[in-house]
Amino acid sequence: MASTFAALATKALYRLNDSAQKCWTAAEIAGYIARGAQQFAEETRCAYGISELRLLTNVSVYDLPPRIMTIERVSWDNKDLAPLYTTDLESSYPNFETDTGQPLAYVLDKDGFRKIRILNLPDAESATIPIMIEGIETGAVFSSPTVGTVNLSGRQERYCIDFAMAIALDREGPGQDLGLADHYKGRFARGTGRAKIHMTHLESNQTRAIGVGALGTGLSEGYGDTLYPRLPFNYVVIDPRGRRGRRGRMS
Amino acid sequence: MPTPLTLRNAVSSMELRLRASGNAFYSRQDLIDAFNDGIEELAEATGFCERFGTIPFVSGRRLYDMRTSSLRQPVGTEDDADGFGFTVAEFTRLLAPAIPPARALSRIDGDISISEGIKALSVSFSAAGNNAIGLPWSEYLYPLHCWNPQTSRWLIPVAISDLQRIGGPNWRAITGEPYYYYQQGQWNIGLFPTPNASSNHAVTTNLVVLFFAALPTRLISDMEQVIGLPDEYSLGGEEWGLYDLQCQEAEYKKALRNLGTYNAIEAKLKLAVSRLRLAQSRAFGVQQLPRFGATFPFGNL
C-alpha cells in the first residue's frame, strides 16, 4: 500500500530529529516529498499506468488525467487511436471538429496544455465506452499532505524522504546543514540511478542473453545459438548482387 | 565456528560500536530499522534475494501489475509459514544434486519430488497455487526469468518495439498462449500473446511462473537471520545502519567511514551475485538449446 504524504513527512521529520516541528513543518516536508516523488518518476519513468477517460456525447475536448505525464497509447474499445497534428487535419480533413461517430484519432496540440481532443466527436453510442490512456505517470499529484498517496513503491518512497531531507537541510534558517544536504542529494541520485538500471534490466537479463538469444536475427529468433558452435555449413552469405551463396561473410 | 549473524547479534554489535564512539542516542527499534534498511539497500543494489511466484492468467488481461495481487506464491514450498516461496538459490541447490538441470526444469510443470538426505521436497505449480497468499508488492524489484508451464518454455523477454515487429501494429489484440514477456514501467509485466479464455490455448486456470529480484523480509525477532545471505555480507547491513544513524545525528565524517566499508561489501556481493546468475542461467539455458527444424512460434504472423 502506498504511503500518504503525511506519513512520509512524519518519517522524514523523525530522521531530521525534528518531530516537534521546531525547524520544519510537516506540511512543508510533505511538499518536498511530493517534489521528490515527481522528480524520481520523471527521471526514471518507472510509473506506468492506465487511466480511464469517460466520454460525453458530442464533447471532443477533455482534460488529461492528472497522473499522466507521457502518453504511450490511447485506445477506444481496444482499438488504437491515431495521434495526429492539427496542421495535417486542417489541410486533409477540414470537418474534424464537427463530424460525429466512433473515436478514431486524437490531437494534443490544438486546445492547450494537458488537453486532448478526440476525433470524431463521440456519438451517444460511442460515449458509453471510455477511452483508455496508457503512459508514464507522475510520482505524485499533490494538493495537501492528507490527500492522495505517493505513486511509487515502498523502497522508492525512501528516496523521496532523502530528497525532502536534502531540501530541508539546504534551506536557510535553523537546522541548515549544507554538507549533509549534499549528501542526501547524493543518496537520492544513487536511488534514481539504481531505478534506471532496474528499468532496463529486462532488456539485458540472462534468459535472453544466454538461454534464448537476441531477437532480430531472422530464423534463429527465439532460439538462441549461444551454446552451439556455428559451423561453416551454417553460414549464410549475403551477396551484394542479391544472391545467396557460401562465400565468406557470416550473417 | 563463528557465531551466526542474527538480528540480536547485529543490533548488539551496532549498539557497542555506537556507544564506543560516545553515542547512546538511539532506541533499540531505531537500530533494528537501520539494520533492515541496510539489508534492503544491499538487496536493491545487488539483487541477491531472488524469489519466484506465479501469475495466474486473467482472461483478456495484457498487463499484470506487481503492486496488486498479480503475484502469487506457489504451494508446497517448505517455508510457507514465513509467507514466502523459495529463493531461487534454495531451489537450484536442492534440485542440482538429484536431477540434471535440464531434466529438472522440464518437469517444473508437474510435481517434483526428490530426496536429499532426510529432506524431501515437493513443489507444485498447479493452479491450486492461485489460492496461496499473495506476496506483498513492495518486495518486488525487477523480473529475472519467466516460465510458462503450459508450454514448458521460458518466455522470451522483449521490448515493445520488438513486439510491434513480431505481431504487427495490432499485436495487443493477438490472443493465445504467451511466448514473450515485456516490462512497462517498473511494476507491469506484460504477456504476449494475451491470454484469453476464448482461445484454445489459454484458459483462466493457467499461469506463468515469474522469478524476480526481491527485497528480503524485514527481520523482527532476535534469532532471525537474513535468508540466503552469508554472514560476511550481512555485515553490510550493520555498516549501512551505522552510517545512516550517524547521518541522522550529523556525524558526517564518522558516517562516511561506515559508508566506505558498506560500499566495499556491496561491490563484493554484486560480483558474487553476478557470478551466481551466470551459473544459473547456464543451467536454465540447457532447456533452451536450439533444435534442428524448430519453427518460430509466430512465423506466420
Side-chain angles (χ1 to χ4, degrees):
Chain A
M1 207 43 207
S3 304
T4 61
F5 300 109
L8 293 178
T10 309
K11 283 185 190 171
L13 283 167
Y14 182 75
R15 292 171 67 80
L16 286 163
N17 201 16
D18 190 30
S19 295
Q21 301 185 38
K22 286 179 183 164
C23 301
W24 303 280
T25 64
E28 179 190 358
I29 298 290
Y32 297 155
I33 282 170
R35 272 173 58 187
Q38 285 160 356
Q39 191 166 325
F40 190 91
E42 197 177 327
E43 283 186 29
T44 62
R45 301 168 71 82
C46 65
Y48 187 92
I50 304 175
S51 305
E52 197 178 273
L53 185 67
R54 297 214 162 267
L55 293 177
L56 301 169
T57 310
N58 287 333
V59 176
S60 63
V61 182
Y62 301 86
D63 287 327
L64 278 176
R67 276 190 168 179
I68 287 286
M69 204 161 58
T70 309
I71 293 178
E72 294 216 344
R73 183 192 183 216
V74 178
S75 61
W76 177 84
D77 198 16
N78 214 18
K79 292 170 198 139
D80 284 12
L81 301 193
L84 299 176
Y85 289 106
T86 316
T87 44
D88 296 337
L89 285 167
E90 281 167 352
S91 57
S92 60
Y93 182 28
N95 294 336
F96 73 95
E97 290 181 274
T98 51
D99 278 4
T100 58
Q102 290 188 351
L104 296 172
Y106 67 96
V107 170
L108 290 171
D109 64 345
K110 180 168 169 51
D111 303 285
F113 187 55
R114 297 194 66 81
K115 299 276 184 191
I116 183 168
R117 173 181 285 270
I118 306 292
L119 320 174
N120 298 310
L121 258 76
D123 54 28
E125 194 184 335
S126 311
T128 55
I129 302 171
I131 296 269
M132 307 305 281
I133 302 179
E134 292 178 34
I136 309 292
E137 294 187 334
T138 180
V141 179
F142 183 71
S143 55
S144 85
T146 49
V147 178
T149 56
V150 172
N151 187 25
L152 297 173
S153 78
R155 183 68 196 156
Q156 291 162 347
E157 287 169 356
R158 170 51 60 88
Y159 297 122
C160 301
I161 292 177
D162 287 340
F163 183 89
M165 288 173 72
I167 303 287
L169 289 163
D170 198 43
R171 197 199 66 176
E172 204 65 49
Q176 188 184 42
D177 186 335
L178 297 177
L180 207 52
D182 284 346
H183 182 71
Y184 278 113
K185 267 182 204 158
R187 263 169 74 158
F188 178 75
R190 186 173 166 141
T192 341
R194 227 173 247 167
K196 280 182 194 166
I197 292 169
H198 292 172
M199 285 294 297
T200 55
H201 193 90
L202 186 70
E203 290 291 306
S204 59
N205 83 23
Q206 303 294 338
T207 309
R208 179 174 186 169
I210 291 175
V212 178
L215 292 173
T217 51
L219 290 175
S220 67
E221 267 178 350
Y223 298 95
D225 51 7
T226 47
L227 299 182
Y228 274 169
R230 300 205 65 184
L231 300 170
F233 59 83
N234 298 129
Y235 299 170
V236 176
V237 175
I238 308 213
D239 189 307
R241 286 166 296 178
R243 290 181 299 189
R244 292 163 80 86
R246 291 181 184 168
R247 282 196 317 189
R249 219 167 50 162
M250 276 193 292
S251 65
Chain B
M1 194 173 164
T3 321
L5 191 71
T6 57
L7 180 64
R8 184 168 62 188
N9 291 347
V11 168
S12 305
S13 165
M14 286 165 74
E15 258 173 350
L16 190 69
R17 289 173 69 181
L18 283 170
R19 201 171 290 135
S21 61
N23 199 331
F25 188 70
Y26 302 101
S27 70
R28 185 174 162 73
Q29 192 56 46
D30 288 337
L31 298 177
I32 292 173
D33 287 346
F35 178 75
N36 280 322
D37 284 350
I39 295 295
E40 284 188 357
E41 185 77 15
L42 265 182
E44 200 188 12
T46 65
F48 78 82
C49 183
E50 299 177 10
R51 299 196 177 279
F52 62 80
T54 58
I55 304 176
F57 293 163
V58 177
S59 179
R61 183 182 290 180
R62 187 166 50 83
L63 287 177
Y64 292 82
D65 191 343
M66 299 299 112
R67 292 178 295 178
T68 58
S69 54
S70 296
L71 201 56
R72 302 300 177 119
Q73 168 196 353
V75 292
T77 52
E78 65 174 9
D79 50 356
D80 266 355
D82 298 334
F84 283 93
F86 273 120
T87 62
V88 176
E90 286 163 346
F91 183 69
T92 46
R93 181 172 51 78
L94 288 169
L95 290 185
I99 309 173
R103 223 182 114 212
L105 290 166
S106 71
R107 296 178 60 196
I108 209 166
D109 53 341
D111 291 343
I112 299 167
S113 296
I114 59 165
S115 58
E116 187 203 41
I118 54 167
K119 200 168 201 174
L121 164 71
S122 173
V123 178
S124 166
F125 289 129
S126 66
N130 297 349
N131 298 323
I133 304 158
L135 288 169
W137 66 269
S138 58
E139 290 180 355
Y140 172 86
L141 284 176
Y142 52 86
L144 293 169
H145 313 280
C146 198
W147 173 259
N148 186 340
Q150 289 78 238
T151 56
S152 293
R153 279 180 186 281
W154 292 102
L155 298 192
I156 303 165
V158 287
I160 299 288
S161 53
D162 290 331
L163 288 172
Q164 281 165 350
R165 198 171 50 75
I166 295 165
N170 287 329
W171 61 270
R172 291 179 181 87
I174 298 172
T175 58
E177 194 64 49
Y179 277 85
Y180 300 88
Y181 75 111
Y182 55 94
Q183 189 176 6
Q184 285 208 301
Q186 194 161 344
W187 311 296
N188 291 294
I189 294 292
L191 300 176
F192 174 76
T194 308
N196 191 322
S198 63
S199 156
N200 290 332
H201 302 293
V203 290
T204 48
T205 50
N206 288 355
L207 45 83
V208 289
V209 184
L210 184 73
F211 296 74
F212 58 97
L215 295 178
T217 328
R218 288 180 81 88
L219 305 185
I220 302 168
S221 61
D222 276 352
M223 296 314 289
E224 277 183 296
Q225 287 175 266
V226 184
I227 300 171
L229 189 65
D231 287 352
E232 68 262 35
Y233 301 119
S234 296
L235 286 174
E238 191 180 315
E239 292 295 336
W240 175 272
L242 288 171
Y243 146 75
D244 195 31
L245 291 171
Q246 279 165 343
C247 266
Q248 287 176 46
E249 216 196 335
E251 290 277 9
Y252 189 51
K253 283 186 179 167
K254 283 182 193 167
L256 285 186
R257 290 173 66 171
N258 292 114
L259 181 63
T261 319
Y262 166 81
N263 282 339
I265 294 173
E266 183 188 295
K268 216 162 63 171
L269 181 58
K270 209 179 267 183
L271 192 65
V273 169
S274 66
R275 284 179 181 158
L276 179 70
R277 286 253 169 83
L278 190 66
Q280 280 176 1
S281 297
R282 282 194 186 285
F284 292 161
V286 173
Q287 177 77 358
Q288 284 291 338
L289 285 176
R291 289 153 294 172
F292 258 130
T295 50
F296 185 52
F298 299 99
N300 298 327
L301 291 176

